[in-house]
Amino acid sequence: QVRFVESGGGLVQPGGSLRLSCVVSGSTSDYYAIGWFRQAPGKEREGVSCLSTSAGDTYYADSVKGRFTISRDNAENTVYLQMNSLKPEDTAIYYCATDSIMPCTRIATMIGDPRWGQGIQVTVSS
């Protein structure tokens, strides 16, 4: 069973920044893919950013390209999501995720055996 400890969410004004952190059980290299999803009220959960651990390739949803950056710290078993130039439409619950079967898809989703953390609220509002 994968365990997640997510942190870094909160309330920020439009144009501001936040950095989400997620400590996963074991090593980030134990998974084919690690990344972040989000779900806004009334909408389906969507892939935001994904990192395929073997090749180090990163993928982003079109809506966040150029604003969000995913990274990892193997020594700390942690994956980060740096979010800049935040918009009100970025408001959602953000979920850390891993996939132990398949790497990321090119649209920043996971289709093998994705597991999600409990989620953390990000609110962008003035």
Side-chain angles (χ1 to χ4, degrees):
Q1 183 176 354
V2 184
R3 296 185 299 277
F4 303 86
V5 179
E6 298 154 315
S7 62
L11 173 65
V12 64
Q13 292 186 342
S17 298
L18 284 174
R19 188 176 80 156
L20 304 183
S21 300
C22 175
V23 180
V24 300
S25 54
S27 169
T28 57
S29 298
D30 292 343
Y31 309 101
Y32 281 94
I34 54 175
W36 296 89
F37 287 70
R38 69 185 180 187
Q39 187 167 18
K43 295 187 177 181
E44 293 186 356
R45 183 155 45 191
E46 62 174 351
V48 175
S49 182
C50 192
L51 187 156
S52 290
T53 59
S54 60
D57 296 330
T58 57
Y59 303 91
Y60 297 91
D62 288 343
S63 59
V64 306
K65 283 180 181 177
R67 300 188 297 122
F68 290 12
T69 303
I70 190 171
S71 61
R72 64 171 171 164
D73 183 331
N74 288 336
E76 298 294 330
N77 302 331
T78 303
V79 58
Y80 301 99
L81 185 68
Q82 178 67 43
M83 305 185 294
N84 298 329
S85 302
L86 282 161
K87 304 175 181 180
E89 50 264 44
D90 294 318
T91 295
I93 298 175
Y94 283 70
Y95 298 88
C96 182
T98 62
D99 195 327
S100 59
I101 294 179
M102 294 185 68
C104 309
T105 69
R106 292 187 177 276
I107 56 171
T109 60
M110 299 177 187
I111 60 173
D113 182 29
R115 304 296 175 93
W116 293 280
Q118 74 280 6
I120 190 166
Q121 180 70 46
V122 171
T123 302
V124 185
S125 175
S126 55

